[in-house]
Amino acid sequence: MEDKVLIRKAKRGDQQSLAVLLHTHYPFLFKYCIKLTMNKYTAEDLTQETMAKAIEKISLYKGEAKFSSWLITIATNVYVDSKRKNSRYQLWRQEQIHQRQMRWQIEYHNEDWNDTMQVLGTLSDNMRIPIILKHYYGYSYADIAEMMNKSEGTIKSRVHNGIEAIRKELKADGRESK
């Protein structure tokens, strides 16, 4: 049966036509996913996820492009989204590893790693850096503003808001800084 007929039936809810359509295009899509990911197992997952999205979105297929092109578009978007999500996860994971290493180093040198430091590590750079420069290294607001190329008012605000966030977190967790 021709793709157009299968698509028309699938859009009307014919599960058998949809199954035949997807089964027919599976090898083509899988080969594309292997080339895209360069990993057989990732390609299998990507192909399955693409097929699931195609089943979910079959009613949105307009027929302007070939069905195989539509599947490739879905696969590409799923792949790009997963890479983006994975890169954010990897960045978060690296930050966690660095924080654990820093904590170990500090404790190894018999310095205190307190709850405040733990919470400080969760703040964004925009808040954490001015707090560290102000309260750990004693720089003036004017010096920090110059270092960070921001206005003095912005730095004061970030220090204030960061300290409030730390206090709120410590209070919420029932922790006290050492």
Side-chain angles (χ1 to χ4, degrees):
M1 206 179 297
E2 189 177 300
D3 276 0
K4 289 182 183 182
V5 174
L6 290 170
I7 292 167
R8 194 171 346 113
K9 287 182 176 182
K11 288 175 89 171
R12 284 193 229 134
D14 182 350
Q15 298 297 317
Q16 182 64 31
S17 294
L18 181 59
V20 169
L21 186 64
L22 295 177
H23 181 74
T24 302
H25 289 277
Y26 189 93
F28 169 79
L29 180 64
F30 180 67
K31 288 177 186 174
Y32 169 73
C33 290
I34 281 187
K35 290 176 183 109
L36 187 63
T37 65
M38 302 304 287
N39 180 303
K40 178 185 178 224
Y41 302 108
T42 304
E44 288 171 350
D45 291 344
L46 179 58
T47 303
Q48 291 299 317
E49 192 169 343
T50 300
M51 289 295 185
K53 287 231 184 256
I55 291 167
E56 181 184 319
K57 307 283 185 182
I58 188 68
S59 63
L60 300 176
Y61 176 68
K62 295 178 182 160
E64 296 168 354
K66 291 180 7 181
F67 188 73
S68 57
S69 298
W70 185 66
L71 289 174
I72 284 176
T73 301
I74 293 171
T76 303
N77 289 335
V78 168
Y79 178 70
V80 168
D81 287 347
S82 72
K83 292 289 282 186
R84 190 177 304 125
K85 188 186 315 180
N86 193 28
S87 90
R88 284 193 301 258
Y89 171 75
Q90 291 299 332
L91 180 63
W92 173 82
R93 191 167 173 238
Q94 279 299 107
E95 287 175 356
Q96 294 299 311
I97 289 169
H98 290 303
Q99 192 174 21
R100 279 194 300 273
Q101 288 171 339
M102 190 171 92
R103 182 178 185 158
W104 180 85
Q105 245 179 348
I106 287 172
E107 288 175 351
Y108 178 76
H109 293 291
N110 293 324
E111 295 178 19
D112 285 334
W113 178 273
N114 57 36
D115 292 336
T116 304
M117 286 294 289
Q118 186 74 29
V119 175
L120 186 63
T122 65
L123 295 178
S124 70
D125 289 343
N126 287 334
M127 285 187 194
R128 185 175 57 251
I129 293 170
I131 290 171
I132 291 169
L133 291 173
K134 177 70 178 160
H135 293 287
Y136 285 89
Y137 293 96
Y139 286 103
S140 70
Y141 289 115
D143 290 338
I144 299 168
E146 187 177 325
M147 287 178 203
M148 296 186 71
N149 198 23
K150 302 287 179 199
S151 73
E152 193 172 330
T154 298
I155 297 302
K156 286 179 181 179
S157 174
R158 288 180 181 176
V159 168
H160 172 76
N161 290 334
I163 289 173
E164 288 301 311
I166 290 170
R167 285 181 180 145
K168 182 178 177 182
E169 184 68 26
L170 290 174
K171 186 176 181 180
D173 288 350
R175 297 184 285 192
E176 297 177 23
S177 63
K178 295 180 181 176

